[in-house]
């Protein structure tokens, strides 16, 4: 164990009555929920970037954290960072982690050096993973921080940047495959624009569509069995991002023939930025069979930017898991904490407590969601509300045409009768479970 987490013992489940802040009160990995272990439902992942690479800066100020692996420009310190990361994984016992290439290795002076650094750390991860249960939920490429990506990656007006992006994604897919990753994620932070005055929007979308097709072709070429996921976000850092929200991504995937190959990684904070609830995004994806995985980090409702806070609102989380469970739960996906500490939370203990709290909140949400599904109250209310559509007449109508329907309405066969939507009753129902 490195000195960073030296006094912190592995976190145990102690139940809701325990007052120990360094224990799980609701997350019991072995508890059976709807016939499955809680750990296998939630499939928690720690995000390397916010937990280990992020230095505590915000738009108004720089680094607040002082970690033994700072500054992050040296391979020796990249190993110290990896040691601390795996120590934390041992303490939390969560089954997965996720990374960007740029989180785990220092950038070199050229592509080949960066790649050598990356491959060395991947080999170091392999050694560490060989003696542990921890697995990789997903890998991804950071194609938004370095200045070369300032005008986008696959949507860059410069074909050299498209090429650099393609080569970068190839190396990250190779590494994800090597570590047995279960998904590969693409989040297009700068795949968008700052102003339409300098942007050929149609051309950029075509390039992004071709790029994603190359990714899918490469996945099949190397025999990667995991899912390819895109992560919607409406803006930030770009003024407008092409992967705006779930519905926009689904339309994009269909346009470029990718609807059977690519699913979505949905983030609660991004849903909020797009003016949606998280369950809206999840329901939109599950309605199309395109839910892949989730990033369970929330935004602040007062500040208009991506604050990446750990989840701390059980009713919100419960509704998200309700839609996930209803659609059959995760396949390759999981619950990634793409969440960062507040920049005043300097201590190693804060990092552990943040994850313990997030895992407990999700466990409560999952249990509430499962109880609602098992009780069936919302499902009964839905089937009652749509019961009219189960009749033979209604089904026939869907196969007919406007003229036939018009004739039937004109002859007085149809008498619309407004009925209560019962929203308050349903909200009160949910409140019994959360
Ligand atoms: C940023 C995104 C990012 C992705 C991975 O807002 O959430 O962290 O999850 O690139
Ligand atoms: Ni985000
Ligand atoms: Ni994310």
């Amino acid at each position: 164990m490195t000195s960073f987490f030296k006094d912190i013992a592995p976190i145990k489940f102690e139940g809701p009555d325990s007052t120990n802040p360094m224990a799980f009160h609701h997350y019991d990995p072995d508890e059976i929920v709807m016939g499955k272990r809680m750990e296998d439902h939630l499939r928690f992942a720690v995000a390397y970037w916010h937990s280990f690479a992020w230095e505590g800066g915000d738009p108004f100020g720089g680094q607040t954290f002082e970690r033994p692996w700072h500054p992050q420009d040296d391979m020796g310190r990249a190993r110290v960072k990896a040691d601390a990361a795996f120590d934390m994984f041992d303490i939390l016992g969560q089954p997965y982690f996720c990374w960007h290439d740029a989180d785990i290795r220092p950038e070199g002076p050229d592509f080949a050096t960066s790649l050598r650094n990356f491959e060395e750390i991947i080999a170091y991860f392999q050694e560490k993973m060989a003696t542990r249960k921890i697995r990789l939920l997903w890998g991804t490429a950071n194609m938004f921080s370095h200045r070369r990506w300032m005008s986008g990656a696959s949507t860059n007006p410069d074909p050299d940047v498209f090429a650099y992006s393609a080569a970068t994604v190839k190396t990250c897919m190779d590494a994800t495959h090597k570590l047995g990753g279960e998904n590969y994620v693409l989040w297009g932070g700068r795949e968008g624009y700052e102003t339409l005055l300098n942007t050929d929007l149609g051309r950029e979308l075509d390039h992004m569509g071709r790029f994603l097709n190359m990714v899918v072709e490469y996945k099949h070429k190397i025999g990667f069995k995991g899912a390819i996921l895109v992560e919607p976000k409406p803006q930030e850092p770009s003024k407008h991002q092409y992967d705006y929200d779930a519905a926009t991504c689904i339309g994009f995937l269909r346009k470029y023939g990718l609807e059977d190959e690519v699913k979505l990684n949905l983030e609660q904070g991004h849903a909020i930025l797009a003016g949606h609830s998280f369950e809206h995004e999840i329901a939109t994806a599950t309605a199309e069979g395109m839910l892949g995985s989730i990033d369970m980090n929330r935004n602040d409702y007062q500040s208009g930017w991506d604050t990446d806070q750990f989840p701390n609102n059980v009713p919100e989380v419960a509704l998200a898991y309700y839609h996930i469970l209803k659609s059959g739960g995760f396949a390759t996906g999981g619950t990634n904490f793409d969440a960062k500490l507040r920049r005043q939370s300097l201590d190693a203990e804060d990092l552990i407590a943040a994850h313990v709290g997030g895992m407990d909140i999700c466990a409560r949400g999952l249990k509430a969601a499962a109880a609602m599904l098992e009780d069936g109250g919302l499902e009964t209310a839905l089937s009652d509300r749509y019961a009219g559509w189960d009749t033979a007449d209604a089904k026939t109508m869907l196969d007919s045409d406007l003229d036939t329907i018009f004739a039937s309405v004109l002859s007085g066969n149809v008498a619309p009768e407004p009925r209560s939507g019962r929203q308050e009753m349903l909200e009160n129902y949910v409140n019994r479970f959360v």
Side-chain angles (χ1 to χ4, degrees):
M1 174 107 6
T2 58
S3 56
F4 189 66
F5 292 110
K6 64 178 178 315
D7 295 325
I8 307 179
I11 306 296
K12 299 255 168 1
F13 173 71
E14 293 185 6
D17 296 333
S18 162
T19 56
N20 178 4
M22 289 309 211
F24 294 122
H25 301 96
H26 303 278
Y27 177 61
D28 176 2
D30 292 319
E31 184 179 331
I32 302 294
V33 176
M34 290 179 73
K36 200 155 113 183
R37 292 174 66 250
M38 210 188 264
E39 180 180 86
D40 302 332
H41 272 293
L42 292 163
R43 297 164 59 89
F44 286 128
V46 167
Y48 209 96
W49 51 105
H50 288 324
S51 289
F52 303 104
W54 182 59
E55 297 179 347
D58 71 7
F60 300 91
Q63 177 169 5
T64 57
F65 301 155
E66 288 173 344
R67 307 297 198 214
W69 52 91
H70 290 158
Q72 300 176 74
D73 56 1
D74 170 88
M75 276 303 283
R77 286 191 291 271
R79 283 170 186 267
V80 171
K81 180 164 56 170
D83 292 341
F86 278 79
D87 285 348
M88 185 168 101
F89 304 160
D90 291 343
I91 290 169
L92 291 172
Q94 94 288 352
Y96 292 102
F97 72 118
C98 304
W99 45 252
H100 301 84
D101 50 353
D103 311 325
I104 65 177
R105 56 99 180 106
E107 177 95 24
D110 51 39
F111 185 88
T113 316
S114 295
L115 178 58
R116 218 170 27 249
N117 292 348
F118 181 52
E119 285 176 340
E120 240 181 88
I121 295 293
I122 292 295
Y124 196 48
F125 281 2
Q126 258 184 316
E127 266 171 49
K128 289 177 175 293
M129 289 168 75
T131 56
R132 291 169 165 87
K133 276 177 26 198
I134 184 106
R135 287 162 288 159
L136 181 68
L137 186 64
W138 46 266
T140 187
N142 176 330
M143 301 197 294
F144 44 87
S145 294
H146 192 281
R147 65 193 290 276
R148 80 172 65 84
W149 318 113
M150 70 179 188
S151 310
S154 70
T155 61
N156 202 290
D158 179 356
D160 280 0
V161 180
F162 184 102
Y164 209 100
S165 310
T168 300
V169 167
K170 176 203 142 45
T171 64
C172 289
M173 289 176 76
D174 287 342
T176 300
H177 188 37
K178 195 178 230 172
L179 296 183
E182 300 194 18
N183 306 271
Y184 183 81
V185 167
L186 296 110
W187 169 62
R190 298 195 194 271
E191 306 289 39
Y193 60 80
E194 296 304 319
T195 172
L196 279 174
L197 295 175
N198 66 11
T199 302
D200 184 342
L201 187 146
R203 185 197 283 259
E204 292 200 358
L205 284 169
D206 284 347
H207 291 170
M208 198 163 98
R210 179 65 198 120
F211 189 89
L212 201 49
N213 267 285
M214 286 182 186
V215 167
V216 167
E217 286 157 17
Y218 190 66
K219 162 193 156 148
H220 292 301
K221 181 171 171 190
I222 62 175
F224 176 62
K225 296 283 175 272
I228 304 291
L229 309 177
V230 294
E231 182 173 329
K233 185 176 183 181
Q235 77 269 333
E236 195 194 277
S238 303
K239 170 194 159 53
H240 176 93
Q241 275 157 225
Y242 296 134
D243 289 336
Y244 196 90
D245 60 2
T248 311
C249 285
I250 291 167
F252 172 86
L253 293 173
R254 287 197 198 291
K255 176 173 180 196
Y256 294 98
L258 292 162
E259 68 272 21
D260 297 328
E261 294 281 0
V262 179
K263 293 187 160 57
L264 303 178
N265 182 44
L266 299 171
E267 176 167 316
Q268 189 196 14
H270 300 179
I272 295 168
L273 277 179
H276 302 310
S277 66
F278 196 23
E279 63 267 25
H280 165 89
E281 288 293 83
I282 294 171
T284 300
T286 58
E288 305 267 355
M290 287 198 191
L291 175 69
S293 197
I294 62 168
D295 281 0
M296 185 57 102
N297 42 288
R298 73 177 193 87
N299 273 11
D300 189 287
Y301 290 106
Q302 280 81 50
S303 64
W305 51 301
D306 189 358
T307 54
D308 285 326
Q309 289 169 246
F310 280 85
N312 55 11
N313 183 325
V314 175
E316 274 183 3
V317 167
L319 290 177
Y321 283 118
Y322 183 81
H323 286 276
I324 292 170
L325 287 180
K326 193 174 140 178
S327 75
F330 293 125
T332 61
T335 303
N336 174 43
F337 294 116
D338 188 356
K340 45 181 177 299
L341 295 171
R342 300 307 85 199
R343 69 197 287 272
Q344 299 172 52
S345 303
L346 303 180
D347 301 342
E349 218 180 25
D350 294 322
L351 195 50
I352 303 294
H355 285 89
V356 169
M359 289 159 87
D360 264 349
I361 292 276
C362 290
R364 285 182 69 184
L366 178 83
K367 284 190 277 191
M372 285 193 283
L373 266 178
E374 279 170 339
D375 181 75
L378 291 178
E379 293 311 291
T380 306
L382 268 194
S383 43
D384 284 355
R385 189 158 192 242
Y386 290 88
W389 286 100
D390 295 332
T391 62
D393 281 356
K395 286 180 181 153
T396 310
M397 175 175 70
L398 287 183
D399 291 329
S400 68
D401 53 50
L402 292 188
D403 272 334
T404 314
I405 298 172
F406 167 76
S408 158
V409 173
L410 194 66
S411 65
N413 284 345
V414 170
E417 194 58 58
R419 286 176 59 192
S420 171
R422 297 165 55 87
Q423 181 169 339
E424 295 78 4
M425 300 276 276
L426 295 172
E427 285 166 351
N428 296 353
Y429 172 85
V430 170
N431 197 36
R432 279 174 39 208
F433 295 87
V434 297

